[in-house]
Amino acid sequence: MEKTSKIYIAGHTGMVGSAIFRKLNLEGYSNLILRTSKELDLINQQSVIDFFEEEKPEYVFLAAAKVGGIEANNTYRAQFLYENMMIQNNVIHQSYVHGVKKLLFLASSCIYPKLAPQPIKEAYLLTGELEFTNEPYSIAKIAGVKMCENYNRQYACDFISVMPTNLYGPNDNYDFETAHVLPALLRKFHEAKVEEANTVEARSEPVELWGTGTPMREFLHVDDLASACFHLMQTYHGNTSLNIGTGKDISIKELAELIKELVGYNGEIVWNKDKSDGTPRKLLDVSLIHGLGWKHRIELEDGIREVYKNKFINQYA
Ligand code: GFB
């Protein structure tokens, strides 16, 4: 990738796309092609054909997707399957038709089997049943990974894909119904703390969290993901979809205690066991990407502190 190469970031307003945008800017890449979803509907095949005809990008980061937490995945099952399949079919196929030099597709760690041995190696893909709550999303993402692999095999493309673990960072979604756990907890504890401060008895309603708190999750700051994508775009050619994570995980209970303390909330937590736990554990084996010269830099506690400050404290200052 040259500094002047024409690079299309699909999904540049989302959490992942905007992190890739910041990284490319920082590295001095100035010829970036950007379209909001209003300007270009990636679900519409003809619109995508017209866009590629007109812009002819040389490189593509495919970060556009319908994403969400466990509840959103489980509720909007048809949309997660249809919209993600359409977006990736359109963008990957047109990238091939228009001779894109290299494409990077963002998949997800939830595409591994629900009960995969831990830590999860790339080779465990398609070796067992998927987690029900996110099966439609996973099937779409598996199709995307396989598209990249097989376009490479049949058409000699250079399309790579990555499997990031659970992400957090700037531009996250804080809507309680559709958010992932980390932003949801930040907002829940923050609002409870504000309520606590505003009552005479310095008390608030308990904070309700979902499931049992026993599932284990691994969290990666999205700026670290962007640096991994940038690194791989320049150095990696291959058909193995690479895991991107920290190689460390914590239980949802521990995460809740950590966020509660960072936010400074003193009240109770109750666990709503009617809500799903999802996959019991999904810790990625990151030895392949470590071997390729990338490692995460932002530790979880530092990352959460920074996100909390920028989203909730500075905003209220
Ligand atoms: O982050 P999350 O929504 O998704 O939930 P997954 C992780 C865990 O946190 C689950 C628990 O066990 C939830 O039950 N949890 C506790 C909460 N309280 C809350 C809360 O207030 N909000 C949320 N959202 N969770 C998603 C997949 O799975 O991970 C997607 O559905 C995607 O497809 C994404 O792959 C990375 O980690 O379970």
Side-chain angles (χ1 to χ4, degrees), residues 70 73 108 110 134 137 166 179-181 188 210 217 276-277:
I70 192 165
N73 269 265
S108 164
C110 71
N134 58 32
Y137 180 73
N166 287 36
H180 287 98
V181 64
K188 282 183 179 180
W210 298 352
R217 291 290 182 276
S276 311
D277 268 344

Side-chain angles (χ1 to χ4, degrees), residues 68-71 73-74 80 108-111 133-134 137-138 164-167 176-182 184-185 188 208-213 215 217 219 252 271 275-279 282:
I70 192 165
E71 194 72 14
N73 269 265
N74 203 15
F80 270 77
S108 164
S109 64
C110 71
I111 81 179
T133 53
N134 58 32
Y137 180 73
S138 308
T165 188
N166 287 36
L167 301 167
F176 286 139
E177 293 309 312
T178 56
H180 287 98
V181 64
L182 199 153
L185 265 54
K188 282 183 179 180
E208 186 193 289
L209 302 183
W210 298 352
T212 60
R217 291 290 182 276
F219 297 94
I252 298 302
W271 294 92
K275 297 277 191 184
S276 311
D277 268 344
T279 310
K282 44 178 173 179

Side-chain angles (χ1 to χ4, degrees), residues 86-97:
M86 291 303 282
I87 292 170
Q88 68 207 33
N89 282 350
N90 288 337
V91 175
I92 295 173
H93 186 69
Q94 289 311 313
S95 293
Y96 151 63
V97 170

